[in-house]
Amino acid sequence: MSQTATSCFVLAAMLPWQFFASAITESGNSLIGNANMISKVYFPRMVIPVSSVIVSFVDFLISGVIILAMMLWYGFSPDWRLLAIMPLMVLVFATALGIGFWISALTVKYRDFRYISPFMVQLGLYVSPVGFSSDIVPEQWRLLYSLNPMVGIIDGFRWALLAGESPLYWPSLLISIILTLFLLISGTMYFRKTER
């Protein structure tokens, strides 16, 4: 793989990862950072972590335009697979929102949890296929590795942005969708339960 192709390969993975990491970090600290407002005015508390994820999503969209321009500059022209970016964006948004609900509720309940979440995000960078291809994982461990919901999402972004030059492991994407639904539903329920 050439230097240019390697750069685009990593950039295609950094796009969803940066959004995910930023959204998790911001939503985890959102309730504590807005404690004065929460104690003075009543409104649905869920708005605060959602707004943190939306702010990170705007950064994600701007980065996406820049990365697409860079990829065109390097000679990677997208094809019909680029249409898959929209559902993948919804998927990464829902994953970040579900985990954001969990972390923000846990941070309020256990104040020291805010020191653990940056460590978890950093660890997640190394266990997600950002700087490497998930193809290097042996076949017998591939499904287990896919229990990280970002694996299918990152592979999907690479497949869509690099015009299929990076293969997509469909079972991994299906597992990401199922885990995202679970995280979003359970995170919403846990947040509502601890909202008071």
Side-chain angles (χ1 to χ4, degrees):
M1 193 181 286
S2 70
Q3 186 71 25
T4 303
T6 303
S7 298
C8 291
F9 184 80
V10 173
L11 284 174
M14 285 301 293
L15 181 64
W17 178 258
Q18 281 299 112
F19 164 62
F20 177 75
S22 171
I24 295 299
T25 305
E26 294 300 320
S27 62
N29 296 322
S30 63
L31 293 176
I32 291 174
N34 293 301
N36 291 335
M37 183 171 61
I38 290 171
S39 61
K40 292 180 179 160
V41 180
Y42 177 76
F43 59 93
R45 307 298 191 240
M46 222 171 222
V47 169
I48 294 176
V50 170
S51 65
S52 298
V53 174
I54 290 173
V55 168
S56 296
F57 189 69
V58 171
D59 292 342
F60 166 78
L61 292 175
I62 294 167
S63 299
V65 170
I66 293 168
I67 287 174
L68 276 175
M70 286 178 64
M71 293 175 82
L72 288 172
W73 176 265
Y74 284 130
F76 278 93
S77 56
D79 61 3
W80 62 270
R81 292 174 185 90
L82 192 62
L83 297 173
I85 288 293
M86 292 303 285
L88 288 167
M89 285 176 17
V90 170
L91 190 61
V92 73
F93 186 91
T95 305
L97 195 57
I99 295 175
F101 285 150
W102 272 104
I103 291 178
S104 60
L106 286 170
T107 302
V108 169
K109 196 168 184 179
Y110 309 104
R111 293 296 168 117
D112 289 339
F113 199 78
R114 66 180 161 171
Y115 302 114
I116 296 170
S117 61
F119 172 73
M120 291 185 334
V121 168
Q122 189 173 12
L123 179 66
L125 174 66
Y126 295 113
V127 298
S128 298
V130 176
F132 59 92
S133 173
S134 60
D135 290 343
I136 67 168
V137 176
E139 192 62 37
Q140 69 266 25
W141 300 105
R142 197 84 189 265
L143 284 176
L144 182 63
Y145 181 62
S146 297
L147 290 177
N148 173 353
M150 288 305 292
V151 171
I153 294 169
I154 289 171
D155 285 346
F157 267 85
R158 281 187 175 137
W159 176 79
L161 290 174
L162 300 177
E165 289 204 15
S166 179
L168 181 59
Y169 184 62
W170 290 98
S172 178
L173 186 60
L174 181 63
I175 290 171
S176 290
I177 292 169
I178 293 167
L179 285 173
T180 295
L181 288 173
F182 172 75
L183 288 168
L184 188 60
I185 292 168
S186 64
T188 303
M189 290 170 60
Y190 183 71
F191 190 92
R192 290 246 187 237
K193 181 181 170 187
T194 59
E195 189 171 12
R196 284 177 292 159

